[in-house]
Amino acid sequence: MKTLLDFFLFLIILCVSIIIIPVVHSKCIPDQQLSLLHFKKGLVFNASFSSKLISWNSSADCCSWVGVTCKANGCILGLDISNEFISGGIDNSSSLFQLQYLQSLNLAYNKLGNGFQLIPSAIGQLTSLRYLNLSHNYYSGQIPIEISHLTGLKVLDFSYNNFRLPESPLKLESPNLHMLVENLTELRELFLDEVQISAPGSVWCQAISSSLSNLRVLSLSNCSLSGPFHESLAKLQFTLSLIHLDYNNISAPVSPFFANFSNLTSLSLRDCGLHGTFPKEIFQLPSLQSIDLSHNPQLDGSLPEFPKNGSLEYLILEWTNFSGPLPNSIGNLKMLSAIFIHDCNFTGSIPISMTNLSQLIYLEMDGNKFEGSIPSFSRPMNLEVLGLDSNRLTGNINCTHWGNLTKLSSLSLRGNMLNGNIPTSLLSLPSLNFLDLYGNQFFGQFPEISNISSNFVKYLLLGSNNLEGPIPMSIFNFRRLTWLDLSSNNFSGSFPLDDLQQLRNLSDLRLSDNNLFLTHDATNFSYSYFPQFQFLMLASGKLTTFPNFLRNQSKLYRLDLSDN
Ligand SMILES: *[C@@H]1O[C@H](CO)[C@@H](O)[C@H](O)[C@H]1NC(C)=O
Ligand SMILES: *[C@@H]1O[C@H](CO)[C@@H](O)[C@H](O)[C@H]1NC(C)=O
Ligand SMILES: *[C@@H]1O[C@H](CO)[C@@H](O)[C@H](O)[C@H]1NC(C)=O
Ligand SMILES: *[C@@H]1O[C@H](CO)[C@@H](O)[C@H](O)[C@H]1NC(C)=O
Ligand SMILES: *[C@@H]1O[C@H](CO)[C@@H](O)[C@H](O)[C@H]1NC(C)=O
Ligand SMILES: *[C@@H]1O[C@H](CO)[C@@H](O)[C@H](O)[C@H]1NC(C)=O
Ligand SMILES: *[C@@H]1O[C@H](CO)[C@@H](O)[C@H](O)[C@H]1NC(C)=O
Ligand SMILES: *[C@@H]1O[C@H](CO)[C@@H](O)[C@H](O)[C@H]1NC(C)=O
Ligand SMILES: *[C@@H]1O[C@H](CO)[C@@H](O)[C@H](O)[C@H]1NC(C)=O
Ligand SMILES: *[C@@H]1O[C@H](CO)[C@@H](O)[C@H](O)[C@H]1NC(C)=O
Ligand SMILES: *[C@@H]1O[C@H](CO)[C@@H](O)[C@H](O)[C@H]1NC(C)=O
Ligand SMILES: *[C@@H]1O[C@H](CO)[C@@H](O)[C@H](O)[C@H]1NC(C)=O
């Protein structure tokens, strides 16, 4: 008996010892290995989808199993069995809860809750836990009060389950937000996305700020929170670094005190029913890397002058009522990689300084009131998407605009007042997939494209311009074309419909309202292959006989043969 007691004492001393001896091979402690094997045996999972649990077997030391981390002395410190398709097998009696030295437990992306199960309250026994991640597990119902006993927790992630935290609890066992966090004073990161909290600003802001004075990360997206923001949140102004509150109907202005959050790197308030004027000083916070205010159509605002060497990487304001010009100093934000400001009310010209944003990948400014000419975007060599449609842009575009954009895959300039010739060099850009120049005033001929370096172009929309002359036959070399719109121009000459056989993916072809002679071989009744069209617009094409390929179309949704 004495030796057994000694042995346990020895174990405890071993495991709680804070001296970490840097030994490479930690040997698993036998009873912990047994607990793990027992734990595994109880789990419901499919071995064909497992990459971690499958390696847990008694022939290897448990400290070498995938997902298990041990202290140098062999005590199990961490378990990461996320993403293992586990669909059950953790209840109050699970051997998991014997691993009392466990500091880190990640069970994310399984199906432990199966849509109806509760978190076993025995989890409260794991009092050494500092990191607990149960996100994405189909859990539902209440969060057990025992979680509030895990007072050493630094990171808690319960997001994307189906939990509820009642506003005023009926029983002690079903805590509200305040009770859940009141003793978790060590918390640095709290993720409760999609937990139904249903509390007004005064309640949730105070519950968080009165207890969690070390909090850096607050992620409460889609929690049925309401507003307005309560001033108590300003207590966390020196610590909070990430605030994500998307999809809550805050229905209030953004408080000016956020401009005092000196450690803020990421602010996300997408679709929060915000109104009033956004405090522009927030954009000037030197630590800010990402801001998303999108889908708040009643939120007014404008952009301030940006300081030199700002950290901003993501500027996301789409579907807001932001207005006014883009300041020249936007060019100071050298780290910017994504600008989504489409469907706002911005005016003025596109600052030339933006062409210095060498990290840009996405630039979407459609649906504003930008005017003037388009500066040359050949500097941001990683640019993939450039959207400027539905503005009031004028002037021409030429090869100097895009020469080096080898990664550009989507360019949309639809619905402006651009003119001049369309530079064919555009079509030689090696990654271009989508080109939409519809509804401008481009004129002149569209010459043959000699060096088609790639065949990636799938969408080529040039309709409603003033293009003239023959349609270049090299169009048939764009073998991936699925949508070709050349309608409502002044194209002339003949266009051999039979050659469409080469464009096997084409499903939308619009050639109406030109001066074209659409030709085809009226004697050919059997085409080995012809594209299956959904949209086929061939109005005013001077056809005199019915195109036979039309007899074999099964997906046709709209066909226009009028005025032939
Ligand atoms: C595990 O998944 C494979 C592949 O989907 C399936 O064939 C097998 O029946 C599954 N086994 C169990 C026990 O569900
Ligand atoms: C036990 O796991 C190891 C690797 O983790 C593997 O090489 C060995 O084949 C497994 N043994 C059994 C009996 O499954
Ligand atoms: C929880 O685990 C998932 C899967 O490993 C991970 O993506 C997520 O970032 C984790 N959450 C936290 C707060 O670490
Ligand atoms: C776990 O045990 C507690 C009592 O200790 C009980 O109230 C609870 O319902 C049990 N939970 C589960 C999920 O088994
Ligand atoms: C938090 O700790 C205090 C003091 O130990 C205790 O009175 C209170 O009941 C605890 N709260 C919860 C929700 O457990
Ligand atoms: C918000 O959560 C609800 C479930 O509570 C879900 O149906 C909805 O799709 C979520 N909304 C978003 C935008 O994710
Ligand atoms: C600011 O945030 C960083 C990173 O999250 C953290 O290391 C630092 O301690 C925070 N500052 C304060 C005052 O909390
Ligand atoms: C958001 O809250 C406001 C004020 O409570 C309410 O008038 C509005 O209908 C809510 N919007 C949605 C989408 O629920
Ligand atoms: C920001 O902090 C300063 C100094 O602490 C204070 O004077 C000011 O009122 C605060 N601003 C807001 C909007 O809370
Ligand atoms: C832009 O502003 C005008 C009035 O200045 C307003 O009528 C319109 O709704 C605003 N557009 C958007 C997208 O907010
Ligand atoms: C574009 O690339 C060419 C070489 O291919 C180089 O001479 C030119 O300076 C580049 N232009 C810009 C604006 O970087
Ligand atoms: C290209 O277009 C820009 C803007 O419209 C214009 O300033 C420039 O002179 C043009 N370059 C050439 C070579 O036509």
Side-chain angles (χ1 to χ4, degrees), residues 271-293:
D271 198 357
C272 283
L274 300 172
H275 51 77
T277 302
F278 186 78
K280 61 163 90 165
E281 296 77 15
I282 295 175
F283 288 108
Q284 293 166 320
L285 287 168
S287 52
L288 196 67
Q289 292 170 8
S290 169
I291 186 163
D292 183 348
L293 305 172

Side-chain angles (χ1 to χ4, degrees), residues 306-363:
F306 289 103
K308 280 229 151 43
N309 301 321
S311 316
L312 204 59
E313 292 171 39
Y314 302 93
L315 177 62
I316 305 172
L317 303 175
E318 77 222 30
W319 295 103
T320 61
N321 197 22
F322 267 70
S323 58
L326 301 185
N328 247 321
S329 52
I330 197 169
N332 291 343
L333 302 173
K334 297 277 189 278
M335 310 299 283
L336 267 179
S337 68
I339 301 179
F340 293 97
I341 56 171
H342 55 88
D343 300 289
C344 296
N345 244 334
F346 285 108
T347 51
S349 57
I350 301 173
I352 295 191
S353 63
M354 287 183 90
T355 61
N356 290 333
L357 298 173
S358 59
Q359 304 297 311
L360 264 190
I361 298 174
Y362 303 99
L363 179 55

